Amino acid sequence: MDQLINSPVKHWCEFEFITKTVKNPNIHIQGNYSYYSAYWDQGFERCVVRYLHDKPTSTEKPIDQLHIGNFVCFGAECVIMMGGNQLHRPDWISTFPFDTRSFVLAGDTTIEDGCWIGSRAMIMQGVTLGEGCVVATGAVVTKNVPAYSVVGGVPAKIIKYRFPAEQIKQLLSLKLYDLNEKQILKMREQLQTNDVDSLIEYMKQIKPSI
């Protein structure tokens, strides 16, 4: 991951670090390591994030915001559907947007640290994906996803949790992604295993208060 590949790309295994390419002021990315497996499209901001205005939000004209944590993996051709004042009104007789009264906010969308979004998955407006969750290929997420869960299907439902409930509680209490990026990168051996207890012991050396 040491090489940044700019879009458009020629091969499915090329990627972009989105913090280097995203310009929309309504997309907020924490850290430097979230990436998009860019496939052969025109990149994350143009092809993944849909219906999000690129003008700054204001009190007079509020715009839904997209918040993305660090170390998030976006699979090829996934989609994040943003309201961006572009939603239609299913509660009215006609869903056609004759004027701006049809444009309603859906709420901010948040993708927390360490998530993995599968290829061609779709994230609908206003949901939160909890830390470390996995969204299966082709899933359509319509509601919040718990931390360290795996969801799939249309609409997406919980398939399983990646770890037992007590270990998930411990992982969240570590606040792993609050660490400096360099510290996280030094922890590769501890992170590339399913041994949560070992990670906790390692973290105690860094943060004695744990």
Side-chain angles (χ1 to χ4, degrees):
M1 287 191 184
D2 294 328
Q3 182 180 8
L4 171 65
I5 306 297
N6 293 319
S7 58
V9 297
K10 303 297 183 182
H11 194 270
W12 64 268
C13 66
E14 297 176 355
F15 64 91
E16 62 176 291
F17 286 122
I18 60 176
T19 190
K20 301 293 186 181
T21 59
V22 168
K23 306 299 181 185
N24 191 317
N26 300 308
I27 302 175
H28 311 276
I29 304 166
Q30 182 170 341
N32 297 298
Y33 285 91
S34 291
Y35 75 87
Y36 173 48
S37 295
Y39 211 54
W40 46 65
D41 62 24
Q42 293 181 308
F44 183 83
E45 185 173 350
R46 183 173 178 84
C47 296
V48 174
V49 183
R50 306 287 178 89
Y51 304 112
L52 181 60
H53 290 309
D54 59 2
K55 296 180 180 180
T57 188
S58 66
T59 304
E60 296 76 22
K61 294 183 179 180
I63 295 173
D64 293 331
Q65 305 292 292
L66 173 58
H67 300 273
I68 300 172
N70 206 359
F71 296 94
V72 177
C73 309
F74 292 96
E77 297 185 318
C78 65
V79 170
I80 303 172
M81 295 289 288
M82 297 296 298
N85 301 82
Q86 299 283 348
L87 292 180
H88 299 247
R89 295 290 299 266
D91 56 328
W92 288 356
I93 295 171
S94 175
T95 61
F96 187 85
F98 291 102
D99 56 47
T100 56
R101 291 177 298 168
S102 297
F103 299 157
V104 293
L105 294 170
D108 294 351
T109 298
T110 301
I111 301 173
E112 296 184 356
D113 303 296
C115 294
W116 176 19
I117 315 302
S119 177
R120 294 188 176 178
M122 180 177 288
I123 312 302
M124 298 303 290
Q125 303 95 333
V127 302
T128 294
L129 275 57
E131 177 182 311
C133 75
V134 176
V135 178
T137 295
V140 177
V141 178
T142 61
K143 59 184 180 180
N144 295 347
V145 176
Y148 292 96
S149 65
V150 179
V151 299
V154 182
K157 297 180 180 180
I158 297 173
I159 298 172
K160 64 178 183 179
Y161 285 88
R162 295 176 54 199
F163 304 99
E166 183 58 33
Q167 287 191 335
I168 291 175
K169 183 178 178 179
Q170 290 175 314
L171 285 170
L172 293 174
S173 69
L174 293 177
K175 297 188 181 301
L176 171 65
Y177 295 99
D178 287 351
L179 293 175
N180 181 282
E181 288 178 345
K182 291 183 179 180
Q183 289 181 304
I184 295 175
L185 294 175
K186 288 180 180 178
M187 296 168 55
R188 293 179 183 179
E189 293 302 317
Q190 288 72 32
L191 295 174
Q192 295 182 117
T193 174
N194 62 357
D195 191 344
V196 176
D197 292 335
S198 176
L199 174 63
I200 292 172
E201 290 303 313
Y202 182 90
M203 287 286 288
K204 285 180 179 178
Q205 300 175 30
I206 301 174
K207 299 172 64 175
S209 60
I210 292 176

